[in-house]
Each structure stands twice: as structure tokens, then as C-alpha cells.
Amino acid sequence: MATAVSRPCAGRSRDILWRVLGWRIVASIVWSVLFLPICTTVFIIFSRIDLFHPIQWLSDSFSDLYSSYVIFYFLLLSVVIIIISIFNVEFYAVVPSIPCSRLALIGKIIHPQQLMHSFIHAAMGMVMAWCAAVITQGQYSFLVVPCTGTNSFGSPAAQTCLNEYHLFFLLTGAFMGYSYSLLYFVNNMNYLPFPIIQQYKFLRFRRSLLLLVKHSCVESLFLVRNFCILYYFLGYIPKAWISTAMNLHIDEQVHRPLDTVSGLLNLSLLYHVWLCGVFLLTTWYVSWILFKIYATEAHVFPVQPPFAEGSDECLPKVLNSNPPPIIKYLALQDLMLLSQYSPSRRQEVFSLSQPGGHPHNWTAISRECLNLLNGMTQKLILYQEAAATNGRVSSSYPVEPKKLNSPGLSHLVAASFTEDRFGVVQTTLPAILNTLLTLQEAVDKYFKLPHASSKPPRISGSLVDTSYKTLRFAFRASLKTAIYRITTTFGEHLNAVQASAEHQKRLQQFLEFKE
Amino acid sequence: PHTNKFAVALLDDSVRVYNASSTIVPSLKHRLQRNVASLAWKPLSASVLAVACQSCILIWTLDPTSLSTRPSSGCAQVLSHPGHTPVTSLAWAPSGGRLLSASPVDAAIRVWDVSTETCVPLPWFRGGGVTNLLWSPDGSKILATTPSAVFRVWEAQMWTCERWPTLSGRCQTGCWSPDGSRLLFTVLGEPLIYSLSFPERCGEGKGCVGGAKSATIVADLSETTIQTPDGEERLGGEAHSMVWDPSGERLAVLMKGKPRVQDGKPVILLFRTRNSPVFELLPWAGPQAELPTSRCTLSMPSFHVLAQCLGGPRNPLLGVEALFMTCPSLLRHPQPLPLGTLSQGHHLFCPTPHIPTS
């Protein structure tokens, strides 16, 4: 989850989380809700499809849009989207958790928080399916309909019957909501990968939209198929329960019962249920994508606080305190961007404080980066020792921050060769080189372990980002590039840096491009 | 880009890597490596080579200390995306992190993160694919040329682009100044060199290319006749490709062979340049000029000449010695095969051809 662990810091970290991410969350929810009318319009147009009378089809659709009850459904659907978005916000993670066995996977699914997530999603799915069924009109709109069959023994008063189609709709909605929640956790959709390149938000959204719609159509088809099978075997349970609870009769003469093969092969019903599924999945995926895009957008943390009150948000402070993980990631991402693209902010990092002449900014930033890298080395060493004693060890692999970290640090060091006027970097250069080389040794040893160097097969073109599976390779590559960056910039001057003999030898190999 | 190695792609779909300091020539073969169109060495690494093939991009990670002549297919990573085939142009970011690839069929340029094997398509425009990608040495801008009379300059922070229609033809070749503030380019069919400056610096977090309003002509390479001690010589014509030295002091232009000029032999023209405080492009002045001491690295697409300029006072008349290596037996490819940047390599043939100083 997103919040920090200890009580006194919880308030302050929630505070900074809200300050940095607050408007982003709200903006993404607002845009998801604004996207809803477009989706609903398209849904209405497709649900009234009538290829033989196109003009009438379009005019009927638009007249339906302007009727008053549609406003009510917009509001209801907006509430649903807001609830789903809140769940996105509460459940995101910046570190992917990769269960290493089937048992662990099952354990993840039946965790109480995940159960609540699934239950709420199933309920929301049912609400959306109800809206969709009512908007579709025709024979799917109402749960309870007057019976049309004649019954010579029955009273002249009309009896009420269960509209099984409507029930089928509602149950499909619940099933789709539950499946969405299940797939969300199995595919680690709550993981927020940081983008390869920075782009304007609208461009990122436009690029994903087509893929998203295609994916929803296909997934809806699979879910409808699975649900039909489930209903065939177990459909009589809800039917019986509802009809006895609400004292309804089941009208066998108007339509065949749906838990038979002939009943289920009703093409019109299947089409409308599939369309409802596409509508539901598209709107939910859109809210998920908008949240991802907004949350991973680069945030500019000021290096020097302009006023005393703003000091909580400045970069060195954020890196050194223990903020919620996403804030730390955003700070590291900002560090990486500033080290590559902003000479003016780099000057601020290399500057000395007034009075006193201490390089506070650089010390804070470099200390935090080195801590992260050293922590990583320790973890790798422990992992190797554990693996040496008992086979596979499961753990989540928090590589993302380190991956952002090493390029940022090395760019800063390389830039300091020309831009650092006071020599603040040179005192820490031995420590940096030491840390990077030790980490590189640990990584090389890790990759010699049997299962570490196997790459999972890549599925291209899918909606879900599976890049977390290959993060360790990305980390190794970026670490090597970082060391090369420092050696190529400093060149032979590196021989003057204090380092142990073994590290000197490795540096020499890097200088000669033999690594 | 850092060591004395170069890679040559052959018609039999293999790639050979030649190293100045060893006689071993590893030959890279892979079942997916067909119709190699482009090769690019990764900056800030010892030996990572990207090979653009018919159906994918192969990233070979070669061990610089290994002695094998047939690295296994396990050293190669396959990057592919449906619809992005054949890949014809590759460009590594100077910081080594990202690889750009372009295909004439796919109008979108793709930005790859090689280690996670994921790619992101840049916004695409109608009007044909992208023929050539060129990254500025400071990593801030990318030139993307297309088969039509338009080229685009992308900036690498927020990935927006500026569109530059040329007057008369497609952009033949281009090169960036070392600080990324100036682009020199030529247009097919015209014997002129244009310059486009990018004076603006962007604000933080915003992407802007910042190009000047129009390009200016800085050099006219039309045919002229000059008097030399050996008689009259005709020089000039269209440029085939251009390369700017990493220190920003020298520009080399490879001219297309023309029958009336130098008997159809390709010719390299050298210029002295300066980018700050004001841009200057002067012909090479000869022995009175400062003798070049820095290395000039060129990347020259040409199918029968690989040229390389050595910095060093070998020929007092010219101030520079050029080395031509002809390899007719290796390649009979109908199109020029672009290669990665060459550094000082060995001397395989040493004629000293006449380099005109105009």
C-alpha cells in the first residue's frame, strides 16, 4: 500500500503524498468521468444497431441520448467510475510483487484486501450492467415482467414473471467485475512502471486508446464465453433463489430457459452482453490508464527551497527523509531528468551554501543515492548466500529505484567534469566509484546463479506492461553504462583517484573497453 | 565509438567485426539476420552492436576479450515489433540508453529500451516512412529524413518535433554540431550546404525544438575549375554525405562521383569550421593552417570507398593524409551500406590520392 509504516511519520508522509499527487489523482478521475459520455454514446449507437434502417438507427440513438433518464445513468456511472478510480489509487504499487510459486499466487488472491477489492468490483460490475441493460431497452430492461402465458387455472389478475435475460445481464456484469479484479492482481496491473520516454500526457493516452479498445473487445468475448459455460451448469441457483425470494414465476412459454444450450445460443442476447462487457472494460481500463499516466508524469522538485516553508518538498530533503515510495520514485526520476537535461538545476546541485561554503545539496543527494546502491549490494549478497544454502528464494525485486538511480548519479558526475566550479564532486568520487564497482561485482555474481539469467518470453503488443519481469537485465545494463560514462568522461584522470587495488584493476579494464 | 573496431555487413547475411589490435575476426550469424540494412555500435559500451535486419533488430553483446570466431546466437537479443519491418535505420542515443529505429513501411519511429525489450512509438505523420535517423552529439535532438521533401527535427526531452519542408527535394544528408545547436544539411539535386540553427534553450520540463525560422545557405559546391600545379582541375557537384568532426573544427564532405570531375572518382572536400561565437565555414587553408591533431571520425556510406582521415602532419601540402580502402570483393550490394563510426583503423592500402583544397 501507499502509506508509510510508523505512526508519527504517517501524517507527514500522507501530507506530502497529497501535496505532490493530490491534484494528479483528482485530474485523472475528472478526465475518466469526462470520457464517460463519449463511451456511453458509442455504446448506445452500437446497441441499437440496425443495418437495414441506418437513418432511423442514428436518429433513434440521438433522441435517446437527449432523454432525461440518460442524465441519471450518467451520474450513476460517474459514481461507479469514481469508486473504481479510488480503488486504483489505494492499491497501486511501485514495486512489482512477483509470486514465485502457484501457492503464493493463490495466497495473494485470497488475501482479505484483495477479496474486498474483488467484491466491490463485482458489485460495481453489476451496477454498470444494470445501467447498460436499461439503456438497451427492449426485452432486457426489467427484471420483473408481466407474464404473457395463458393459464386456465390462474386468476384473471396478471402474474409477474422473472425476466431471465435481465438476470443474465446482471450476473454477467458481476462476473466481469470479479474477473477484472482477479486479472488486475494476477497481471500486476497495480504496478506503475515508469515510462521509457517522457511525453505529453495526451499523446500517451491517444497512443494507448486503440490498443485498449481492441483488448477490451477480445477480453469481453472470452469473459462472455466463460460465463456462458458457468451459467449453463450453475444458472439454476440464482434463478431459483430470485424467483422464490421475490415470488415470481418463470415463464417457460415466452422464451426458452437460459441454462440450456438452445437458450444460450440467442445471438441478440450474446451480442448485447458482449457489448455491455466492452463498455464496462473500456471505461475501467481508461480510468486505470489515466491514473497511470498522471501518476508517473515527471514532477519537478526544487533543488533549493525558495522559502523556508517550502523546504519539505525540495529534492535533497525528499530523498533523505523516508517518503512514501512513489514520492521517492518521482524524486529519483526528477534527478535523472535534471542530470541529463537541465544545466541550470545542475548548477544548483553543485553550488555551495551561503554562508559556510558547504555543498549541502550535493552531499545530501549523493549520500542518498549511495545508500540505495549499497543497500542493493547488501540485498544481492544476502540473496546469493541464501540461494547457495537452499535453492530458490522468493522476494520481490525492488529494482526500479536503483535503475533510475545509477544513470542519474553518473550523469551528474560526468557533467560535473565540466560544470562543477567548486570541486564538490571530487571528494565523493572515490566513494561513488567504490560503490558502483562493488555493486557491479555483486550483480555479476547474481547473474551466474542458475535461474537468474533466464529471460521470460516476451509478448508483444499486449496492454499490460510485463517489463517488470526483465527489470534485472535493465538494471545490469544501466549500471554498466553508468560506469562507462564516468570512465569515458574522466579518462586517465581516474588513475589519480584513491581506490583499492582490485578496483584499480577493474577501472583499468573499463578504461580499455575490455568489460 | 571508443575503440579501434569496425563492423562490416556482407551479402551472405553475416557481419564481421574487425579489430585493430587483434587478428581474430568474429563472424556474427543468426537465423533472423537477413538483409542487413544498418549497423550501429552502442556508445558507452565495449562491444554492443545493433544490426537492423529484415524482420527485427538484433543486439549483439560481444565479449571484448573472447577469442571465438563464431559467437553463439545466445549473445544476440531480438527486438521486434509486428509491422515494423524491414528496419532500415538505427540511431543510438549518445548517452547509450535508448535506441531509435525506423522502417520505410512503418511511419512511426520507435524508441527502444533495449534491456527491457520494450518500445514506444513516436507520433507518426503521413507521407512515407523515415529513411535516416541522426542523433545530435549532445543527445538533445534527432534529425529524421523522409523520402519526401520534408524532414523533421525531434527533441529528445518531451519528444515533440518540428517539420521542415525543403524547397526542392529530399534531404540527402545532414550532420550536427557537437553541441547540438546547428544542423548542416544538403538536399538531393542541389550543390549547396544549408545551415539551420537552434538558438533557443527550452525551459525546464518543456519540450521545444527551438529551430530558427529558416535555413541559410552557407556553401556552394557547384562545379568550378581551379588551377593547380598539375594543371586545371574541375571540382564540385553534389554532396553524397557529410560528417562533422567531434571537436567541431572540421567538416568533411564526400562528393558524388561525376564523369567530368576527377574522372568519376569520389572526392572528399575538407572545410574548417567554427561554431561559436559565430558560425564560420572556410575551405581548408593548407599548410599555413593549424595542423590538425585531433582525430576525425567519419561515418561514410559508400559502396566502394571507406575513407578515413587521420589527424597528423603526414603530407605537408595537404596537412592531412587520407586513406582509402577498397573492398570490391566484399560487397556488391546495390545500395550503400551505412556503417558505424570508424576510429583509427589499420592501413590496408596506402595510396595518397590528391585531395583538392577548395
Side-chain angles (χ1 to χ4, degrees):
Chain A
M1 291 277 274
T3 52
V5 184
S6 58
R7 302 295 293 168
C9 298
R12 215 177 35 198
S13 60
R14 203 71 170 155
D15 205 25
I16 189 173
L17 189 73
W18 191 248
R19 247 181 309 153
V20 172
L21 284 188
W23 75 266
R24 295 184 180 199
I25 296 172
V26 169
S28 72
I29 295 181
V30 165
W31 280 106
S32 325
V33 170
L34 287 178
F35 189 75
L36 201 53
I38 306 172
C39 247
T40 319
T41 314
V42 174
F43 173 70
I44 292 178
I45 293 179
F46 274 99
S47 69
R48 301 216 191 307
I49 195 164
D50 186 358
L51 290 170
F52 298 112
H53 306 100
I55 313 275
Q56 193 181 9
W57 163 35
L58 287 174
S59 63
D60 274 348
S61 317
F62 285 114
S63 65
D64 279 334
L65 266 181
Y66 290 124
S67 51
S68 54
Y69 69 88
V70 176
I71 310 286
F72 166 69
Y73 293 120
F74 275 152
L75 288 176
L76 190 59
L77 289 173
S78 313
V79 170
V80 168
I81 292 291
I82 291 176
I83 294 178
I84 299 289
S85 307
I86 291 175
F87 269 86
N88 279 338
V89 170
E90 282 298 318
F91 277 82
Y92 76 85
V94 279
V95 169
S97 61
I98 310 171
C100 58
S101 67
R102 286 223 125 88
L103 206 59
L105 188 64
I106 295 175
K108 198 164 86 150
I109 295 174
I110 62 175
H111 191 266
Q113 273 179 344
Q114 266 71 298
L115 281 179
M116 184 186 64
H117 184 270
S118 309
F119 177 70
I120 301 284
H121 273 77
M124 292 298 117
M126 196 180 275
V127 170
M128 279 195 86
W130 178 74
C131 290
V134 173
I135 292 177
T136 312
Q137 297 176 341
Q139 50 180 317
Y140 307 119
S141 302
F142 301 104
L143 189 62
V144 172
V145 289
C147 298
T148 54
T150 55
N151 193 342
S152 49
F153 294 111
S155 60
Q159 289 175 317
T160 46
C161 283
L162 175 67
N163 183 358
E164 202 175 353
Y165 292 144
H166 192 86
L167 182 66
F168 188 76
F169 249 90
L170 295 183
L171 293 175
T172 313
F175 179 73
M176 287 195 178
Y178 180 72
S179 309
Y180 176 85
S181 163
L182 214 63
L183 288 173
Y184 188 81
F185 288 110
V186 168
N187 289 336
N188 261 310
M189 269 163 60
N190 56 338
Y191 164 63
L192 290 177
F194 276 83
I196 301 178
I197 60 177
Q198 294 292 318
Q199 270 187 309
Y200 289 115
K201 295 189 284 287
F202 176 66
L203 292 176
R204 279 179 72 185
F205 176 65
R206 197 178 62 173
R207 180 170 33 101
S208 343
L209 192 58
L210 191 61
L211 187 61
L212 193 152
V213 171
K214 228 172 22 173
H215 188 261
S216 306
C217 292
V218 172
E219 195 172 319
S220 179
L221 209 58
F222 281 122
L223 289 178
V224 168
R225 181 201 68 179
N226 292 347
F227 183 69
C228 286
I229 297 173
L230 192 67
Y231 195 83
Y232 179 74
F233 290 112
L234 298 177
Y236 64 94
I237 300 173
K239 250 199 318 194
W241 182 67
I242 296 258
S243 52
T244 46
M246 297 174 65
N247 202 15
L248 300 167
H249 294 262
I250 297 184
D251 191 341
E252 302 258 334
Q253 283 152 342
V254 174
H255 55 76
R256 294 159 190 257
L258 279 179
D259 52 352
T260 59
V261 175
S262 50
L264 281 172
L265 283 179
N266 183 345
L267 274 184
S268 159
L269 174 70
L270 289 179
Y271 170 73
H272 281 104
V273 166
W274 171 78
L275 197 66
C276 165
V278 173
F279 175 58
L280 185 144
L281 288 172
T282 308
T283 46
W284 289 7
Y285 277 132
V286 160
S287 80
W288 168 69
I289 279 221
L290 281 173
F291 174 65
K292 261 201 338 179
I293 291 176
Y294 269 91
T296 55
E297 191 196 2
H299 184 265
V300 176
F301 288 89
V303 179
Q304 303 237 26
F307 315 105
E309 306 89 55
S311 66
D312 260 353
E313 264 191 44
C314 69
L315 196 57
K317 192 82 181 293
V318 169
L319 285 175
N320 272 319
S321 61
N322 210 7
I326 189 162
I327 304 287
K328 198 151 197 179
Y329 284 74
L330 285 172
L332 286 170
Q333 186 185 44
D334 188 39
L335 180 66
M336 189 177 73
L337 290 173
L338 91 80
S339 66
Q340 284 185 317
Y341 298 116
S342 325
S344 59
R345 293 178 76 207
R346 285 201 291 266
Q347 281 303 319
E348 285 183 41
V349 173
F350 297 139
S351 64
L352 300 175
S353 68
Q354 307 277 1
H358 299 293
H360 287 304
N361 295 332
W362 170 252
T363 323
I365 291 177
S366 61
R367 184 173 54 214
E368 185 52 36
C369 293
L370 289 179
N371 282 342
L372 278 175
L373 292 172
N374 281 327
M376 183 71 180
T377 316
Q378 292 301 320
K379 254 193 222 170
L380 278 174
I381 293 177
L382 283 173
Y383 187 95
Q384 279 153 34
E385 285 169 9
T389 50
N390 64 348
R392 285 165 76 95
V393 177
S394 80
S395 66
S396 59
Y397 202 82
V399 172
E400 188 87 27
K402 285 68 176 192
K403 183 163 171 277
L404 288 177
N405 196 6
S406 46
L409 190 61
S410 67
H411 270 291
L412 271 179
V413 171
S416 77
F417 189 69
T418 46
E419 294 178 7
D420 179 13
R421 288 179 307 191
F422 303 112
V424 301
V425 176
Q426 285 167 21
T427 46
T428 48
L429 196 56
I432 295 175
L433 284 173
N434 193 24
T435 314
L436 287 176
L437 287 170
T438 325
L439 183 56
Q440 207 232 339
E441 277 169 24
V443 167
D444 279 340
K445 276 200 211 124
Y446 169 78
F447 271 92
K448 290 202 169 64
L449 291 175
H451 62 276
S453 49
S454 57
K455 272 206 177 149
R458 196 178 77 94
I459 322 157
S460 68
S462 70
L463 190 64
V464 179
D465 192 336
T466 51
S467 65
Y468 60 86
K469 293 181 186 155
T470 47
L471 270 181
R472 52 181 188 259
F473 297 97
F475 175 59
R476 179 174 67 163
S478 72
L479 184 61
K480 221 174 208 178
T481 311
I483 301 181
Y484 267 117
R485 192 171 293 125
I486 297 181
T487 54
T488 45
T489 322
F490 284 85
E492 293 301 317
H493 298 290
L494 277 181
N495 289 328
V497 172
Q498 299 279 349
S500 72
E502 206 181 289
H503 283 164
Q504 291 265 14
K505 229 176 21 167
R506 290 210 83 163
L507 271 178
Q508 198 54 35
Q509 286 202 306
F510 271 100
L511 283 168
E512 291 172 11
F513 293 94
K514 284 212 164 71
E515 272 288 331
Chain B
H2 310 288
T3 59
N4 304 333
K5 266 192 230 195
F6 63 92
V8 179
L10 310 181
L11 268 183
D12 63 351
D13 294 331
S14 71
V15 171
R16 296 227 172 114
V17 178
Y18 293 90
N19 196 331
S21 49
S22 82
T23 48
I24 298 170
V25 179
S27 168
L28 310 175
K29 288 200 178 161
H30 195 279
R31 61 182 174 84
L32 292 174
Q33 188 174 282
R34 278 173 287 129
N35 293 336
V36 174
S38 177
L39 299 170
W41 289 101
K42 180 176 170 180
L44 297 180
S45 77
S47 45
V48 176
L49 178 68
V51 178
C53 316
Q54 172 74 24
S55 57
C56 60
I57 304 170
L58 286 179
I59 310 286
W60 287 94
T61 308
L62 307 170
D63 185 0
T65 53
S66 96
L67 299 170
S68 80
T69 51
R70 273 294 293 273
S72 73
S73 309
C75 303
Q77 240 180 308
V78 179
L79 301 179
S80 71
H81 194 272
H84 193 67
T85 63
V87 184
T88 49
S89 168
L90 292 176
W92 285 100
S95 61
R98 308 272 171 258
L99 176 66
L100 290 184
S101 72
S103 164
V105 167
D106 188 356
I109 304 172
R110 290 193 171 264
V111 184
W112 293 88
D113 179 8
V114 175
S115 25
T116 53
E117 297 184 11
T118 49
C119 68
V120 167
L122 293 179
W124 57 273
F125 305 91
R126 279 183 314 172
V130 173
T131 48
N132 208 12
L133 292 170
L134 192 67
W135 213 304
S136 70
D138 68 334
S140 63
K141 289 184 266 292
I142 298 123
L143 169 71
T145 58
T146 64
S148 57
V150 156
F151 64 89
R152 292 189 174 86
V153 178
W154 294 83
E155 50 85 19
Q157 197 174 353
M158 296 298 279
W159 300 91
T160 55
C161 73
E162 264 186 13
R163 184 175 174 271
W164 288 92
T166 64
L167 293 175
S168 63
R170 64 180 175 90
C171 174
Q172 168 77 18
T173 180
C175 58
W176 289 98
S177 70
D179 61 352
S181 66
R182 192 170 291 272
L183 172 69
L184 295 179
F185 65 94
T186 63
V187 170
L188 186 70
E190 291 180 13
L192 305 166
I193 300 181
Y194 293 88
S195 151
L196 188 57
S197 70
F198 294 87
E200 289 170 37
R201 291 241 62 136
C202 305
E204 310 293 340
K206 296 193 216 341
C208 64
V209 182
K213 290 282 180 273
S214 62
T216 50
I217 299 177
V218 292
D220 186 348
L221 304 173
S222 320
E223 280 185 30
T224 51
T225 314
I226 57 163
Q227 298 290 337
T228 66
D230 301 328
E232 271 191 10
E233 297 267 350
R234 289 194 66 87
L235 291 167
E238 280 176 44
H240 184 275
S241 55
M242 286 199 297
V243 151
W244 208 327
D245 154 55
S247 66
E249 288 174 17
R250 267 162 284 285
L251 181 74
V253 181
L254 176 69
M255 310 298 289
K256 283 188 192 172
K258 269 178 147 182
R260 285 181 313 166
V261 176
Q262 291 282 316
D263 302 319
K265 279 196 303 242
V267 147
I268 299 180
L269 299 183
L270 294 168
F271 297 89
R272 210 155 59 96
T273 61
R274 200 171 58 173
N275 204 17
S276 65
V278 91
F279 177 68
E280 224 177 47
L281 183 74
L282 303 168
W284 194 274
Q288 288 85 19
E290 210 173 80
L291 291 171
T293 50
S294 66
R295 214 168 51 192
C296 180
T297 58
L298 307 179
S299 76
M300 297 291 212
S302 167
F303 62 89
H304 63 271
V305 166
L306 292 173
Q308 176 195 11
C309 291
L310 282 177
R314 299 292 290 271
N315 189 329
L317 182 63
L318 303 168
V320 75
E321 171 183 309
L323 194 73
F324 285 83
M325 182 171 84
T326 55
C327 26
S329 57
L330 288 179
L331 310 165
R332 266 193 316 278
H333 205 281
Q335 299 152 311
L337 272 172
L339 296 182
T341 52
L342 304 178
S343 315
Q344 292 168 344
H346 0 239
H347 296 226
L348 292 177
F349 290 89
C350 335
T352 48
H354 188 62
I355 302 286
T357 58
S358 75

